[in-house]
């Protein structure tokens, strides 16, 4: 079950991505939190400057989408209430969210599948289907 803070963060993202995250939680295999949904362009610039992101054209930034929606979410794995960053957990989370997306019939992309910049917590709706 998502916390109130996670639900609030999730409420600002595209409804299709909300469905996927809720389905992943319902599958009950992991305790998940929403780390971040919408972010400002200024915050994205900060992330790029720190090396936490490689692009200003982020799906987290509402202005980047023609549809005017936030099309990305960062999810975290909680173990005994503590946010963990162990990569094996994010591989499991990636598979869980992919399964949830498949069940919902919604295409998603996982940052952990990227070749140049691995981003385990990051899930987004594809640019092609969600410009």
């Amino acid at each position: 079950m998502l916390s109130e803070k996670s639900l609030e963060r999730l409420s600002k993202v595209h409804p299709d991505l909300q469905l996927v995250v809720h389905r992943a939680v319902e599958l009950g295999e992991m305790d998940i939190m929403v780390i971040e949904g919408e972010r400002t362009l200024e915050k994205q610039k900060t992330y790029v400057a720190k090396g936490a992101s490689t692009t200003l054209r982020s799906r987290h930034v509402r202005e980047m989408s023609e549809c005017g929606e936030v099309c990305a979410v960062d999810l975290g794995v909680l173990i005994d209430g503590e946010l963990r960053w162990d990569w094996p957990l994010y591989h499991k989370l990636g598979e869980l969210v992919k399964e949830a997306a498949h069940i919902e019939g919604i295409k998603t992309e996982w940052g952990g599948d990227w070749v140049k910049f691995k981003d385990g917590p990051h899930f987004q709706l594809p640019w092609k289907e969600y410009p």
Side-chain angles (χ1 to χ4, degrees), residues 43-108:
K43 190 169 191 179
Q44 185 64 26
K45 287 178 182 177
T46 302
Y47 285 164
V48 170
K50 292 190 318 189
S53 181
T54 61
T55 183
L56 293 178
R57 191 173 179 245
S58 170
R59 307 257 45 203
H60 286 280
V61 180
R62 187 176 302 276
E63 297 85 353
M64 294 297 130
S65 297
E66 291 175 22
C67 65
E69 297 273 359
V70 174
C71 294
V73 65
D74 289 341
L75 302 177
V77 177
L78 298 169
I79 303 289
D80 297 325
E82 178 185 340
L83 180 61
R84 299 285 298 269
W85 299 103
D86 320 40
W87 259 104
L89 293 173
Y90 286 86
H91 284 287
K92 289 180 184 176
L93 178 62
E95 292 305 313
L96 178 64
V97 174
K98 288 176 188 180
E99 179 183 355
H102 177 75
I103 291 168
E104 292 296 334
I106 297 169
K107 291 186 180 182
T108 59

Side-chain angles (χ1 to χ4, degrees), residues 18-32:
Q18 289 183 41
L19 281 172
V20 170
V21 173
H22 283 294
R23 175 64 71 182
V25 170
E26 286 174 10
L27 292 172
E29 296 176 23
M30 307 182 92
D31 192 6
I32 299 168

